[in-house]
Amino acid sequence: MSRTVAFIGLGHMGGPMAANLVKSGHRVRGYDLVAELLDTAGGAGVEPAASAPEAVTGADVVITMLPAGRHLLALYDDILAAARPGTLFVDCSTIDVADARTAHERAVAAGMRALDAPVSGGVVGAEAGTLTFMAGGGPGEFTEAEPLLAAMGRKAVHCGGPAAGQAAKICNNMILGVSMIAVSEAFVLAESLGLSHQALYDVASTASGQCWALSVNCPVPGPVPASPANRDYRPGFAAALMAKDLGLAANAARAGGVRAELGLRAAELYAGYAERGGAGEDFSGIVRTIRDRSGERRA
Ligand code: NAD
């Protein structure tokens, strides 16, 4: 069934996601603060709106893809009154779990329905329509959103009630951030012990050290030819985004009194790496800072 969708936030992710909705036969009215992005989306068949409230007026579904929770909450202040009662609000941004809960509450208080549906798969997945969505909200909201999510992605998992999608996203990325640091430290330790990258890879990738950070996104060049390490750490998944997601995980851990000692330390290490010039590199490039700092200690 063709729907009228308001799509707000047409950046790296939102632009191609909106274009994929158009390709699937939906009517999409788009809005972004950056005029050039509206022009680009217009070229892909998205109807440009003059403002966010104009975009949502008369829409069946409102999809948002914004940088952070504060952007979403400020936007909701502007648009909730303009939408038709009962409109489904689907937020695909990665935001703080507490902000996601607040966004749900505000939407429902305004007579709307809400689903959080953050994604993994990056810009490549957004362009190819192969994203994975992690959704939080009621079963009816998930069922209604499913055909739209299917137009933008390959898989959608209903994780539970409000904010469960955001929770799943940051828990997964905490595993990923910690495991990438563990794999990187193991390679630097191997170097200092005279063990080759390939030998460590051949053992660990078929033993209990096996994980995605090792066998798909291997942080040293050689063992996995397609990993970003082989192209000077061009992303892939940028370290700035890993730092952001680990920061959200750290906030949630502190708020819940969870002693996620490695997760909190990973958040600090990725924040430092991003600040010291690594922001635009693939997150596996953190191996270089571990190596450099180990060299400084040995010197
Ligand atoms: P982006 O900065 O390219 O896009 C965000 C867009 O939102 C910008 O174009 C900005 O102008 C617009 N915007 C901000 N406030 C607005 C408002 N009030 N009204 C209209 N437009 C507004 O960011 P992105 O890379 O597309 O990421 C979007 C979200 O997806 C983030 O939460 C990010 O963490 C998440 N994410 C990104 C990736 C990735 O690889 N880029 C992967 C997974 C998840």
Side-chain angles (χ1 to χ4, degrees):
M1 182 179 44
S2 170
R3 313 295 310 268
T4 298
V5 180
F7 204 115
I8 302 179
L10 300 165
H12 291 98
M13 298 291 289
M17 289 165 72
N20 281 331
L21 287 172
V22 173
K23 276 188 211 152
S24 293
H26 300 288
R27 180 175 177 207
V28 182
R29 295 211 301 257
Y31 181 69
D32 195 290
L33 298 174
V34 179
E36 288 154 25
L37 294 174
L38 267 184
D39 292 344
T40 308
V46 173
E47 298 169 31
S51 68
E54 184 188 298
V56 307
T57 302
D60 303 315
V61 178
V62 176
I63 300 181
T64 42
M65 195 50 168
L66 302 172
R70 64 179 186 282
H71 303 97
L72 182 75
L73 295 176
L75 177 76
Y76 275 17
D77 285 344
D78 281 350
I79 61 175
L80 284 172
R84 206 163 44 201
T87 300
L88 178 61
F89 280 68
V90 180
D91 178 42
C92 295
S93 330
T94 303
I95 67 171
D96 199 274
V97 174
D99 288 340
R101 291 199 184 110
T102 303
H104 271 262
E105 284 163 12
R106 286 199 195 163
V108 170
M112 308 298 163
R113 293 170 309 128
L115 192 77
D116 53 289
V119 306
S120 79
V123 177
V124 172
E127 287 169 350
T130 56
L131 295 170
T132 294
F133 291 89
M134 296 147 259
E141 283 75 10
F142 180 69
T143 303
E144 184 179 343
E146 257 187 316
L148 297 173
L149 304 182
M152 301 183 284
R154 196 157 43 192
K155 189 173 177 193
V157 181
H158 187 205
C159 300
Q166 297 293 348
K169 164 100 188 172
I170 60 169
C171 289
N172 178 69
N173 280 12
M174 190 170 85
I175 297 172
L176 180 59
V178 170
S179 60
M180 181 54 81
I181 291 170
V183 169
S184 298
E185 289 181 352
F187 273 112
V188 174
L189 179 59
E191 289 165 11
S192 85
L193 296 172
L195 179 66
S196 75
H197 291 162
Q198 191 65 48
L200 174 59
Y201 178 83
D202 288 346
V203 172
S205 65
T206 54
S208 45
Q210 196 280 330
C211 60
W212 190 90
L214 174 73
S215 58
V216 177
N217 218 75
C218 187
V220 295
V224 179
S227 80
N230 298 283
R231 45 174 203 267
D232 205 23
Y233 299 96
R234 242 181 318 113
F237 183 47
L241 290 170
M242 177 52 88
K244 172 191 168 178
D245 293 356
L246 286 169
L248 297 176
N251 287 347
R254 286 193 202 97
V258 175
R259 294 197 53 174
E261 295 184 18
L262 295 183
L264 296 187
R265 185 71 186 122
E268 286 171 5
L269 290 172
Y270 268 105
Y273 169 46
E275 274 162 24
R276 285 189 298 273
E281 293 180 354
D282 186 75
F283 78 116
S284 58
I286 201 162
V287 70
R288 297 199 283 202
T289 65
I290 295 167
R291 186 183 291 121
D292 291 349
R293 294 170 79 188
S294 304
E296 282 163 19
R297 291 201 68 162
R298 282 199 294 268

